[in-house]
Amino acid sequence: MQRYFMTADTPQLGQTFTLDSEAAHHVIRVMRMVVGDKIEVVFNEQVAFQAKIKFVDGKQVTVQLEKSLVSQSELPCTVTIVCGVSKKDKAEWIVQKGTEMGASQFVFFMSQYGVAKWDEKKQPKKQERLAKIALEAARQSHRLSVPEVVILPNLKAVTLLAKDTGIVAYEEAAKQGETAQLVKQVQQMKTGQHLVAVFGPEGGLAPAEVALLENAAFVPVGLGPRILRAETAPLYLLAALSVIWELQ
Amino acid sequence: MQRYFMTADTPQLGQTFTLDSEAAHHVIRVMRMVVGDKIEVVFNEQVAFQAKIKFVDGKQVTVQLEKSLVSQSELPCTVTIVCGVSKKDKAEWIVQKGTEMGASQFVFFMSQYGVAKWDEKKQPKKQERLAKIALEAARQSHRLSVPEVVILPNLKAVTLLAKDTGIVAYEEAAKQGETAQLVKQVQQMKTGQHLVAVFGPEGGLAPAEVALLENAAFVPVGLGPRILRAETAPLYLLAALSVIWELQ
């Protein structure tokens, strides 16, 4: 069932609610739904309902909240995925798949040594496009929240992000056979805490960049013995977090 | 360093070796390498060397094996990823990323209920293309073996595949809160054993298909509480296997 996110306080079960214009457009034009069709609506406090379309009036869609949906589709801790900017559509791919796998926020930064740069003037458009991809993926994967997308000018700004635990995926750590830190760092986290995980751009982080992160309490971790591409490593992490936090 | 796979028995360190024509073409035309440049060569028994280009003669490239490379880039068990056929380039994507994350073999089958079908006449070309993607990904991620790509006509043929442990990713299992089976099934496997993991096409497996697999000793497992797309689920599994088998 198609899911929509409303930036509104949670109404009571049984109430009617008028969708915002973006959702209404999607319901009418993209999904071509009509009165009687059902959707899912999620409100600010991550509360989800099944809702039935009661009226379609021009560009307005009014629904009635007919059933509370209980779902545990969020990871127990919030996770910010921080990536160096890479070429082509890799950022889009990271946001789409990362949303599906439970990330709470995506941060992209210009690495001093990265081959790709995003022109400062184009950044607002880029941010807007990535936010739209996050919204679409959150709808499809029935998330309870839409991950935020942020672009930061450099790694220094990344070190200032608030966190309970910080890790940096570092290939050299993996090469030296480091296999314990990832599990150790994330296993000690408590429900509701916030993990910030940093990934380099294509070509990886420079030792000086890793040192900067270490000084800001980011712990270098290995992600297994294989060489993962810049866009694959964040997905490895998110799956690992699910296994460590949600399975067994 | 660029890596090439030779279907030949392993020569001695110090010996010279003439690359096969596909690798030679790649060295000369794609990488534009010259005498003195270095590559990595892997032989049948998954033994890897660093090698120096000694002669380039027309379309022939001869290298000298100058250093043994010790690497543990393979998962401790072999893993066959079996997927229902999906639309668009999802199969290519599964093969590329799955190779990077350590899969040994990819099997695609036509699901009775899947929306996508691969025309029987086009299957050899499809197989060839996917095998090429596996080769390229194995080179880039420095694997010690190139995963095989197989197309099977139906799910019945999948049930006949040899295995030590079989699992099937089943969304209904996840919805019912099944969180223990994945770890349980793969944790009891011993080094060198063979895991076959089945994933449905877009839209998932039908209950009758899951029953057929259960009769053939495939255990339904949940992959966490989020709804994963057909092409994301195999990557979740491969990362999970790495965490369970290789980390901690």
Side-chain angles (χ1 to χ4, degrees):
Chain A
M1 205 176 291
Q2 191 67 29
R3 175 164 284 207
Y4 297 95
F5 295 89
M6 296 297 125
T7 50
D9 292 344
T10 310
Q12 298 293 314
L13 185 66
Q15 285 191 336
T16 58
F17 184 85
T18 301
L19 300 184
D20 66 32
S21 60
E22 200 276 338
H25 173 85
H26 196 273
V27 162
I28 300 170
R29 298 284 159 206
V30 181
M31 301 302 292
R32 296 174 185 279
M33 285 192 276
V34 295
V35 170
D37 283 345
K38 290 178 181 185
I39 62 172
E40 291 177 8
V41 187
V42 184
F43 293 91
N44 273 352
E45 296 88 1
Q46 306 197 356
V47 179
F49 293 95
Q50 181 180 299
K52 191 194 247 175
I53 299 175
K54 297 294 276 186
F55 313 104
V56 177
D57 182 9
K59 291 180 175 177
Q60 264 200 357
V61 175
T62 303
V63 300
Q64 185 169 27
L65 308 179
E66 57 175 25
K67 195 170 133 191
S68 288
L69 296 174
V70 180
S71 106
Q72 288 169 312
S73 61
E74 299 299 305
L75 286 167
C77 296
T78 51
V79 180
T80 295
I81 298 290
V82 182
C83 295
V85 161
S86 287
K87 283 185 293 187
K88 290 195 196 158
D89 56 359
K90 293 192 175 173
E92 300 184 6
W93 196 90
I94 290 168
V95 169
Q96 189 193 61
K97 298 291 171 215
T99 298
E100 209 179 314
M101 293 178 81
S104 325
Q105 189 186 44
F106 298 93
V107 173
F108 294 93
F109 71 97
M110 309 305 137
S111 165
Q112 208 178 330
Y113 306 92
V115 283
K117 306 269 176 215
W118 289 350
D119 188 339
E120 210 169 313
K121 281 184 204 149
K122 288 184 187 160
Q123 284 179 19
K125 252 206 155 146
K126 196 99 189 170
Q127 193 277 340
E128 199 182 316
R129 175 151 176 73
L130 293 171
K132 205 172 165 187
I133 289 169
L135 171 62
E136 198 51 48
R139 275 179 183 164
Q140 290 212 8
S141 55
H142 289 225
R143 291 283 307 273
L144 286 177
S145 66
V146 183
E148 187 189 19
V149 177
V150 177
I151 299 177
L152 292 180
N154 52 44
L155 192 62
K156 180 71 195 159
V158 171
T159 63
L160 304 176
L161 292 170
K163 63 180 184 294
D164 292 301
T165 299
I167 56 176
V168 46
Y170 191 36
E171 212 174 84
E172 291 305 317
K175 276 189 195 158
Q176 286 156 27
E178 194 294 289
T179 58
Q181 278 297 345
L182 173 63
V183 175
K184 186 179 164 200
Q185 291 302 319
V186 306
Q187 222 162 29
Q188 49 84 27
M189 289 182 70
K190 292 178 185 65
T191 299
Q193 285 194 324
H194 182 200
L195 174 69
V196 177
V198 182
F199 300 85
E202 284 163 315
L205 290 166
E209 293 181 307
V210 176
L212 183 67
L213 288 165
E214 284 192 275
N215 281 338
F218 285 86
V219 178
V221 303
L223 299 178
R226 282 164 298 285
I227 296 168
L228 302 177
R229 292 182 198 219
E231 77 273 23
T232 314
L235 300 198
Y236 180 105
L237 175 73
L238 288 164
L241 295 178
S242 170
V243 171
I244 297 165
W245 287 339
E246 298 178 328
L247 299 191
Q248 16 199 335
Chain B
M1 207 176 290
Q2 191 68 29
R3 174 164 284 208
Y4 298 96
F5 295 90
M6 296 297 126
T7 51
D9 292 344
T10 310
Q12 298 292 315
L13 185 66
Q15 284 192 337
T16 57
F17 183 86
T18 301
L19 300 184
D20 66 31
S21 60
E22 200 277 337
H25 174 84
H26 197 272
V27 162
I28 300 170
R29 299 283 159 205
V30 181
M31 299 302 292
R32 298 173 183 278
M33 284 192 276
V34 295
V35 169
D37 284 345
K38 290 178 183 186
I39 62 171
E40 292 177 8
V41 188
V42 184
F43 293 91
N44 272 353
E45 295 89 1
Q46 306 196 356
V47 179
F49 294 95
Q50 181 180 299
K52 192 194 245 174
I53 299 174
K54 296 295 276 186
F55 312 105
V56 177
D57 183 9
K59 291 181 175 176
Q60 264 201 356
V61 175
T62 302
V63 301
Q64 184 168 27
L65 307 179
E66 56 174 28
K67 195 170 135 193
S68 288
L69 296 174
V70 179
S71 106
Q72 287 168 312
S73 61
E74 298 298 305
L75 286 166
C77 296
T78 51
V79 180
T80 295
I81 298 290
V82 182
C83 295
V85 160
S86 287
K87 284 184 291 185
K88 291 196 197 157
D89 56 357
K90 294 194 173 172
E92 300 183 7
W93 196 89
I94 290 168
V95 169
Q96 188 193 60
K97 299 291 170 215
T99 297
E100 208 180 315
M101 292 179 81
S104 324
Q105 188 186 43
F106 298 92
V107 173
F108 294 92
F109 71 97
M110 310 303 137
S111 166
Q112 209 178 329
Y113 307 91
V115 283
K117 305 271 175 213
W118 289 350
D119 189 338
E120 210 170 312
K121 282 183 204 150
K122 289 185 186 157
Q123 284 178 20
K125 251 202 156 149
K126 196 98 191 172
Q127 192 277 339
E128 200 181 317
R129 174 150 178 73
L130 292 171
K132 206 172 164 188
I133 288 169
L135 172 61
E136 199 50 49
R139 277 179 180 162
Q140 290 212 7
S141 55
H142 288 225
R143 292 282 306 273
L144 286 176
S145 66
V146 183
E148 188 189 18
V149 178
V150 178
I151 299 177
L152 292 179
N154 52 44
L155 192 63
K156 180 71 194 160
V158 171
T159 64
L160 304 176
L161 292 170
K163 64 180 184 294
D164 293 301
T165 299
I167 57 176
V168 47
Y170 191 37
E171 210 175 83
E172 290 306 317
K175 276 188 195 159
Q176 286 155 28
E178 193 296 287
T179 58
Q181 279 296 344
L182 173 63
V183 174
K184 187 180 165 199
Q185 291 302 317
V186 307
Q187 221 162 29
Q188 49 84 27
M189 290 182 70
K190 292 179 185 64
T191 299
Q193 286 195 323
H194 183 200
L195 174 69
V196 177
V198 182
F199 300 84
E202 284 163 316
L205 291 166
E209 293 180 306
V210 176
L212 183 68
L213 288 165
E214 284 192 275
N215 281 336
F218 285 85
V219 178
V221 303
L223 299 178
R226 281 164 298 284
I227 296 168
L228 303 176
R229 292 181 199 222
E231 76 274 23
T232 313
L235 301 198
Y236 179 105
L237 175 73
L238 288 163
L241 295 178
S242 170
V243 171
I244 297 164
W245 287 340
E246 297 177 328
L247 300 191
Q248 9 198 338

